[in-house]
Amino acid sequence: MTEIFSETGSRQLTQMFLAITFFHTSEYILARAIHGPSRVTLSSLLITKHYVLAMLVSLLEYLIEITLFPNLKQHRWISNFGLLMILLGEVLRKTAIVTAGRSFTHLIKIRHEEHHSLVTRGVYRIVRHPSYSGFLVWSVGTQVMLCNPVSVVAFAVVVWKFFADRIPYEEHYLKQFFGREYVEYAQRVHSGVPFVN
């Protein structure tokens, strides 16, 4: 149990806590700044029951492994690579949110609103769904940083599946809103989530 309070355990758990805190706080602050306080609820923190459960399971894996197999957590270069993934994912996602401005929402719009425009500039020139790419990289990065082999695979599969289902649903409405312009854009630019086009 003393391994949890070791330099490695303290560093990894502190980085995880800071990554989660920064991610959700900045999502909420950006949503309020872009859409105004009256149009933003606590759901903009993006904390769901499934998300909390996933994070608790990953924490449980971490605690079990650092107690029973402390050497598994000592791969500093793997942990640092995970931290780099967290930073890259965060930058990609926040760049996508700022670039899209009022066109970005946490919930899929099923009705076209006056301010809703098709954003194809900036990071959207490279991938159609950079916020999803960023979250995928960020979430898997949290588990790489913790050196959690089971959760790395589980997070990659679950988050990928979530976006593999969400992207076609969202794009159904984007095609309705923007017609041929969106179809041509989708043909030119990859979704940003592996194996989802």
Side-chain angles (χ1 to χ4, degrees):
M1 199 66 167
T2 58
E3 294 295 335
I4 297 166
F5 302 104
S6 68
E7 184 273 331
T8 298
S10 296
R11 178 179 52 84
Q12 290 171 331
L13 291 173
T14 299
Q15 288 172 343
M16 180 68 167
F17 175 76
L18 291 173
I20 290 171
T21 301
F22 181 81
F23 178 87
H24 294 288
T25 304
S26 62
E27 291 279 321
Y28 184 73
I29 290 169
L30 275 175
R32 285 180 62 104
I34 292 168
H35 297 288
S38 64
R39 297 189 54 144
V40 177
T41 65
L42 287 179
S43 66
S44 293
L45 286 172
L46 300 178
I47 300 173
T48 65
K49 290 183 288 188
H50 293 93
Y51 176 82
V52 170
L53 179 62
M55 287 301 178
L56 289 174
V57 168
S58 78
L59 181 60
L60 181 61
E61 176 187 353
Y62 183 84
L63 295 175
I64 290 170
E65 289 172 354
I66 199 166
T67 301
L68 300 178
F69 314 105
N71 289 339
L72 184 64
K73 305 300 180 186
Q74 298 301 322
H75 301 286
R76 195 171 189 118
W77 68 273
I78 293 174
S79 188
N80 287 341
F81 182 73
L83 186 57
L84 180 63
M85 289 176 69
I86 290 169
L87 295 172
L88 290 174
E90 189 72 66
V91 167
L92 181 57
R93 183 165 172 88
K94 296 313 187 278
T95 301
I97 293 171
V98 170
T99 302
R102 290 189 66 204
S103 293
F104 182 89
T105 57
H106 288 108
L107 303 174
I108 294 173
K109 292 288 182 186
I110 59 173
R111 287 183 198 76
H112 191 267
E113 295 179 5
E114 200 174 298
H115 66 270
H116 197 187
S117 62
L118 178 59
V119 179
T120 59
R121 67 187 181 284
V123 71
Y124 289 87
R125 293 175 72 174
I126 303 164
V127 290
R128 292 194 315 269
H129 300 282
S131 66
Y132 296 167
S133 305
F135 184 78
L136 179 61
V137 171
W138 179 88
S139 64
V140 174
T142 62
Q143 301 313 303
V144 172
M145 189 268 301
L146 290 176
C147 299
N148 275 357
V150 175
S151 290
V152 165
V153 174
F155 272 51
V157 169
V158 170
V159 174
W160 178 88
K161 174 78 170 100
F162 176 79
F163 289 133
D165 293 340
R166 184 180 174 104
I167 287 172
Y169 177 73
E170 181 175 354
E171 291 193 341
H172 166 77
Y173 291 103
L174 290 169
K175 287 172 189 169
Q176 284 185 356
F177 301 160
F178 304 111
R180 185 162 185 77
E181 186 184 5
Y182 188 82
V183 171
E184 290 173 357
Y185 171 64
Q187 289 171 345
R188 283 195 317 275
V189 179
H190 190 274
S191 73
V193 175
F195 311 110
V196 178
N197 205 15

